[in-house]
Amino acid sequence: MKKRLFILLFMEMSVGLVSLCGQTVDVHTHIIIPEYLEVLKANGAELEETFPLPEWDAGRHIAFMDSVDIRTAVLTMPAPHPYYGNAGESAECIRRINEVSARIKQQYPDRFKFCAALPLPNVDAAIREAVYALDTLGADGVKLATNSRGQYLGDEALNPLMEVLNERHAVIIIHPHRPTPYQEKIIACTPLAMYEYPAETTRAVVNMLARNVLVSYPNLKVVVPHCGSFLPLALPRMKSILPAMVKLGYMQPIDWEGNLSRLYFDLAGSPTVEVLRSLLTITTPDHILYGSDYPYMPADVLKSNLHKLKQTLASDKEFAEYMDMFLWRNAERLFVKNGVSDSIPTE
């Protein structure tokens, strides 16, 4: 009996070690290429998001991943959105980002995936780029800004794009951008990432929910960044107010279960136990994913954040059983293609 118990304990410890070593999938990282920076500089937009963009290259990114046992990272274009009134310039810049991302994925197939950027607010150009990126470049999804120069997610103008993405069962990674319009004096006090980004993300998702976008396009799967932002606080209030708004004719009914079942949430931002418990009031454990936000924080800070997250999960009785799900299993299921993941590890 003692020998059998020892073997079982050893097996459990071994499984735990596997979950901590080399399996983590990071769904929130950014690729920053010189051509993108050149467009920003040409338009005086280097500090549009109130902080300078960090440097990035694949070698340093892989070195960071190796240092924290991250197996695969999903690349996306950062903010700001490179559109300054010239649709051709924007489309050319975004095409370059997507082609570089595809080349890096091809060069390091076990390490990188990417979600393609789209040249919104030009919807026709965005559709062309989505088709090219998903069908030809092998993109693993698309990245959409919360707003593209005032065109917010949920806008009816985006319906033709959503139809194309829905036909392809696309994964959409949302990322906050500077709100439009914005109060310059307020955002000058703190970086957008500190408050406005969570508010902006919440605003965009609420707009999608209010218009039942995810029920209308049921094949879409949408990743919400930064631990759900303010949604765990906003949704109960929204639900309490909605019946009166519907009765007065100001809003339509919302299919809460249908919409929320298509939302996923990344953990970028070093969540506490309290944040994780709050997130589970609006989603289920199989819809939570790890994200680092590399390279926006120093590598040693991100390394410490991931270590803290693993400790938080391992030390909590409820969350310990979800560790593998949060760190890599959920991401593996989300980005699987035709039943086989082409770069995310399996057991």
Side-chain angles (χ1 to χ4, degrees):
M1 178 66 73
K2 289 183 178 180
K3 183 177 180 181
R4 182 183 177 188
L5 179 60
F6 174 80
I7 292 172
L8 289 172
L9 287 172
F10 178 79
M11 290 174 63
E12 289 178 4
M13 289 174 64
S14 298
V15 170
L17 287 172
V18 169
S19 71
L20 296 178
C21 298
Q23 290 282 16
T24 303
V25 176
D26 187 350
V27 304
H28 190 143
T29 75
H30 300 290
I31 180 172
I32 303 169
I33 66 171
E35 293 90 334
Y36 171 75
L37 295 174
E38 288 169 7
V39 169
L40 299 186
K41 186 175 182 179
N43 289 278
E46 301 101 310
L47 293 177
E48 183 178 324
E49 300 291 314
T50 69
F51 49 87
L53 274 75
E55 294 182 352
W56 181 92
D57 68 54
R60 281 199 296 268
H61 196 160
I62 290 173
F64 161 71
M65 292 162 64
D66 288 345
S67 73
V68 290
D69 294 323
I70 291 175
R71 181 70 173 85
T72 304
V74 181
L75 298 170
T76 60
M77 184 188 77
H81 192 67
Y83 178 83
Y84 301 97
N86 186 330
E89 176 189 61
S90 177
E92 183 179 349
C93 176
I94 284 174
R95 171 63 59 87
R96 179 61 177 163
I97 293 169
N98 291 338
E99 289 184 336
V100 171
S101 298
R103 189 176 70 239
I104 290 170
K105 175 185 173 180
Q106 184 178 30
Q107 186 176 358
Y108 305 102
D110 295 329
R111 309 312 302 272
F112 291 115
K113 288 181 173 288
F114 79 101
C115 285
L118 302 180
L120 292 168
N122 187 321
V123 176
D124 290 338
I127 290 173
R128 288 194 295 271
E129 188 63 25
V131 171
Y132 174 69
L134 293 168
D135 295 359
T136 301
L137 292 182
D140 301 284
V142 300
K143 174 257 182 175
L144 294 179
T146 47
N147 86 91
S148 301
R149 307 305 169 189
Q151 182 191 67
Y152 272 85
L153 296 180
D155 192 316
E156 291 181 358
L158 294 174
N159 287 354
L161 172 61
M162 292 300 171
E163 289 176 8
V164 169
L165 297 178
N166 186 65
E167 289 171 359
R168 287 161 173 77
H169 294 240
V171 175
I172 296 173
I173 288 183
I174 295 176
H175 195 275
H177 286 229
R178 188 179 70 181
T180 303
Y182 64 93
Q183 221 300 331
E184 189 168 356
K185 289 184 178 180
I186 290 178
I187 71 169
C189 295
T190 57
L192 291 175
M194 193 169 288
Y195 171 80
E196 291 296 338
Y197 274 4
E200 173 74 359
T201 299
T202 304
R203 181 180 299 116
V205 175
V206 163
N207 198 42
M208 295 177 77
L209 295 175
R211 298 189 177 186
N212 286 299
V213 168
L214 298 177
V215 173
S216 300
Y217 305 102
N219 297 324
L220 299 178
K221 297 176 181 179
V222 177
V223 181
V224 181
H226 305 128
C227 306
S229 297
F230 299 152
L231 286 169
L233 293 175
L235 292 188
R237 178 174 176 81
M238 193 176 176
K239 288 180 179 180
S240 70
I241 295 174
L242 182 65
M245 295 298 100
V246 172
K247 187 173 182 179
L248 293 170
Y250 294 135
M251 293 181 70
Q252 64 178 319
I254 295 174
D255 182 348
W256 292 108
E257 183 177 355
N259 282 290
L260 292 177
S261 69
R262 293 168 177 88
L263 292 179
Y264 292 73
F265 301 86
D266 80 42
L267 297 179
S270 190
T272 62
V273 168
E274 291 77 15
V275 169
L276 290 169
R277 294 198 192 287
S278 178
L279 187 54
L280 284 176
T281 65
I282 64 169
T283 192
T284 51
D286 58 325
H287 280 220
I288 296 176
L289 317 161
Y290 169 70
S292 70
D293 220 341
Y294 182 90
Y296 274 84
M297 299 287 284
D300 58 340
V301 173
L302 295 178
K303 184 175 183 179
S304 175
N305 287 349
L306 180 52
H307 180 67
K308 289 177 183 176
L309 174 61
K310 290 178 178 179
Q311 285 186 322
T312 297
L313 296 175
S315 62
D316 185 276
K317 185 178 295 186
E318 177 185 3
F319 291 125
E321 62 179 298
Y322 302 144
M323 181 179 288
D324 283 354
M325 295 172 66
F326 293 177
L327 293 180
W328 66 275
R329 288 187 187 276
N330 293 342
E332 180 183 77
R333 284 194 296 270
L334 182 62
F335 286 99
V336 73
K337 287 187 176 181
N338 299 320
V340 179
S341 174
D342 59 7
S343 71
I344 290 179
T346 56
E347 291 181 294

